[in-house]
Amino acid sequence: MNSGIPMNRFTFEGFPPLKKGRHTLFTALSTDDRTMVFYESPMRLVKTLADFIQYFGADRQCCVSRELTKMFEENKHGTLQEVHDYFAEKGVKGEIVIIVAGVQ
């Protein structure tokens, strides 16, 4: 598994809501023990990671994958805080998949 996060039980959430329903969704998912898979725009990645830190906790494990199956594929593993800080400093382009571990 590319993310290093267990995928035996997961939920695919697609793109998170931009405004309406975002709080409700993230609150409900904060106690879910399944791995969560999201798509996100590169322009909103850092904000979404910051929201994940608020709802899921800074120490929750995640992987952000960029440009999967393409020449410039990149996978950044770590805690939500580490990955947030990395992309806040580096910037990001391309198609994004975020995988977040469920609550332990």
Side-chain angles (χ1 to χ4, degrees), residues 10-91:
F10 69 93
T11 178
F12 175 72
E13 296 296 328
F15 286 94
L18 298 179
K19 294 181 183 175
K20 187 173 183 173
R22 192 171 178 98
H23 169 77
T24 303
L25 175 65
F26 292 167
T27 299
L29 292 174
S30 69
T31 59
D32 198 326
D33 64 351
R34 297 174 295 173
T35 296
M36 298 166 272
V37 181
F38 299 90
Y39 288 152
E40 190 51 281
S41 156
M43 296 171 289
R44 290 189 300 269
L45 175 64
V46 173
K47 179 189 182 320
T48 296
L49 291 171
D51 287 347
F52 287 171
I53 291 167
Q54 177 185 346
Y55 288 93
F56 305 151
D59 293 332
R60 184 87 63 104
Q61 290 296 304
C62 75
C63 176
V64 171
S65 297
R66 182 180 80 76
E67 294 294 293
L68 287 173
T69 75
K70 297 180 182 167
M71 181 184 294
F72 298 106
E73 179 175 327
E74 176 182 20
N75 297 286
K76 180 63 179 165
H77 307 265
T79 65
L80 284 169
Q81 188 68 59
E82 291 167 345
V83 173
H84 170 273
D85 294 349
Y86 174 82
F87 283 109
E89 182 178 319
K90 178 184 183 264

